[in-house]
Amino acid sequence: MALSDQFELIQYGALSINPERFPLYALKSKQWDSSKPSVLITGGVHGYETSGVQGAIKFAKTSAAKYESHFNLLIAPCVSPWGYEVINRWNPEAVDPNRSFVENSPSEESAALMTLVAEYDNDFLVHFDLHETTDSDEDEFRPALAARDGKDYEPDIVPDGFYLVDDSDNPQPAFQKAMIDAVRNVTHIAPPDGNGMIIGSPVIQEGVIQYPVKSLGLCAGMTHCTYCTTTEVYPDSPKATDEQCNDAQVAAVAAGLDYIIGQGD
């Protein structure tokens, strides 16, 4: 099925650095029904995290139709198109969009998406925010962040494998587990380091850590949803291909939706 048959293409803004080159697009279910729960899927908040973008698009192409009878879908596959093009975590002002989902946001990418979501009264049952953890996080962006902010850089270990970030203020462990179990069939799950951590946070269950997503200004905390997750794929692993990374994103979204359907929500 062509995406134009299933989705309405919405332009919800454009980046001021070059509005013609960097429009902001989302896909909205054509058969939007206020009696059904709504699902938000975001990718490319960090533009350089490729499978977040490609995974969101692949889900729309290959799997979304299966869920049309259960949910309304709003998919913003590339929240930061400038970052996607130039392979950057930050936006042109060296602001991290994924710490900027706050009132009076310093990131126009984040502000535009929040304005779009507000049109739906933030009324989403579930939000999947699709990300990657890459070697460049440690080699480039975290040292640059420390230098920018005048702090000492403390090296960490890049986890080899897929993991999820749950909301510590509203944990949904069974929801997260359903996604981990599904992704395990596509690619490997990140193990904890020697201290039982992944990127400095305790592993709550296999492949799952927690952040207070709202107070940190993360994309995953921008709605009032019951279920949220941030996916993290490791594309630099010698044990995973680019296609496996895209497929892991699709598998996570599908498994999360299957879980919710099973709960009768």
Side-chain angles (χ1 to χ4, degrees), residues 16 33 96 174 180 229 240:
S16 59
D33 181 350
D96 184 344
I180 291 293
T229 196

Side-chain angles (χ1 to χ4, degrees), residues 1 22 39-40 43 47 75 137 146 170 175 203 208 210 217 233:
M1 178 184 291
F22 300 115
V39 174
L40 177 63
I75 304 173
D137 290 352
N170 179 32
F175 172 63
V203 174
V208 180
Q210 294 179 343
V233 176

Side-chain angles (χ1 to χ4, degrees), residues 118-219:
E119 294 178 11
Y120 302 88
D121 298 321
N122 294 316
D123 186 22
F124 290 87
L125 177 66
V126 57
H127 180 187
F128 301 93
D129 190 30
L130 311 184
H131 284 255
E132 294 181 341
T133 301
T134 70
D135 287 344
S136 60
D137 290 352
E138 281 298 310
D139 297 341
E140 180 178 356
F141 291 110
R142 290 189 70 244
L145 176 63
R148 186 198 70 180
D149 295 345
K151 298 179 179 179
D152 292 333
Y153 167 57
E154 298 181 4
D156 202 349
I157 297 171
V158 179
D160 184 354
F162 180 94
Y163 65 99
L164 296 171
V165 183
D166 195 3
D167 181 5
S168 60
D169 293 323
N170 179 32
Q172 298 289 345
F175 172 63
Q176 310 295 334
K177 183 179 186 301
M179 290 181 282
I180 291 293
D181 288 345
V183 171
R184 189 184 290 108
N185 296 318
V186 177
T187 191
H188 57 293
I189 306 304
D193 64 21
N195 296 315
M197 306 277 196
I198 290 178
I199 59 167
S201 294
V203 174
I204 305 302
Q205 60 172 301
E206 183 186 11
V208 180
I209 61 174
Q210 294 179 343
Y211 283 168
V213 295
K214 289 187 181 296
S215 64
L216 290 176
L218 302 184
C219 183

Side-chain angles (χ1 to χ4, degrees), residues 5-255:
D5 294 336
Q6 187 178 357
F7 293 101
E8 176 187 351
L9 181 65
I10 300 170
Q11 182 175 348
Y12 64 93
L15 298 185
S16 59
I17 190 172
N18 190 329
E20 292 186 2
R21 189 177 184 89
F22 300 115
L24 300 170
Y25 288 117
L27 299 168
K28 175 187 175 183
S29 295
K30 277 191 172 180
Q31 305 302 320
W32 195 276
D33 181 350
S34 59
S35 69
K36 294 190 295 190
S38 299
V39 174
L40 177 63
I41 302 170
T42 50
V45 174
H46 291 142
Y48 75 125
E49 296 175 4
T50 308
S51 75
V53 177
Q54 296 301 322
I57 293 170
K58 188 167 187 176
F59 174 82
K61 287 181 175 179
T62 66
S63 302
K66 174 183 175 183
Y67 299 100
E68 277 190 306
S69 63
H70 296 279
F71 303 104
N72 302 310
L73 298 174
L74 183 66
I75 304 173
C78 191
V79 175
S80 299
W82 180 86
Y84 183 76
E85 181 167 306
V86 304
I87 314 177
N88 206 312
R89 180 182 181 88
W90 296 345
N91 72 7
E93 286 73 43
V95 171
D96 184 344
N98 202 37
R99 297 297 186 276
S100 302
F101 286 87
V102 296
E103 188 174 355
N104 299 318
S105 174
S107 162
E108 61 181 326
E109 297 87 349
S110 308
L113 184 60
M114 287 190 292
T115 298
L116 172 66
V117 169
E119 294 178 11
Y120 302 88
D121 298 321
N122 294 316
D123 186 22
F124 290 87
L125 177 66
V126 57
H127 180 187
F128 301 93
D129 190 30
L130 311 184
H131 284 255
E132 294 181 341
T133 301
T134 70
D135 287 344
S136 60
D137 290 352
E138 281 298 310
D139 297 341
E140 180 178 356
F141 291 110
R142 290 189 70 244
L145 176 63
R148 186 198 70 180
D149 295 345
K151 298 179 179 179
D152 292 333
Y153 167 57
E154 298 181 4
D156 202 349
I157 297 171
V158 179
D160 184 354
F162 180 94
Y163 65 99
L164 296 171
V165 183
D166 195 3
D167 181 5
S168 60
D169 293 323
N170 179 32
Q172 298 289 345
F175 172 63
Q176 310 295 334
K177 183 179 186 301
M179 290 181 282
I180 291 293
D181 288 345
V183 171
R184 189 184 290 108
N185 296 318
V186 177
T187 191
H188 57 293
I189 306 304
D193 64 21
N195 296 315
M197 306 277 196
I198 290 178
I199 59 167
S201 294
V203 174
I204 305 302
Q205 60 172 301
E206 183 186 11
V208 180
I209 61 174
Q210 294 179 343
Y211 283 168
V213 295
K214 289 187 181 296
S215 64
L216 290 176
L218 302 184
C219 183
M222 68 179 297
T223 74
H224 306 311
C225 67
T226 300
Y227 302 98
C228 77
T229 196
T230 302
T231 67
E232 295 286 355
V233 176
Y234 180 47
D236 298 313
S237 174
K239 298 184 285 185
T241 65
D242 289 346
E243 199 60 28
Q244 280 179 298
C245 291
N246 296 341
D247 289 343
Q249 304 281 19
V250 175
V253 174

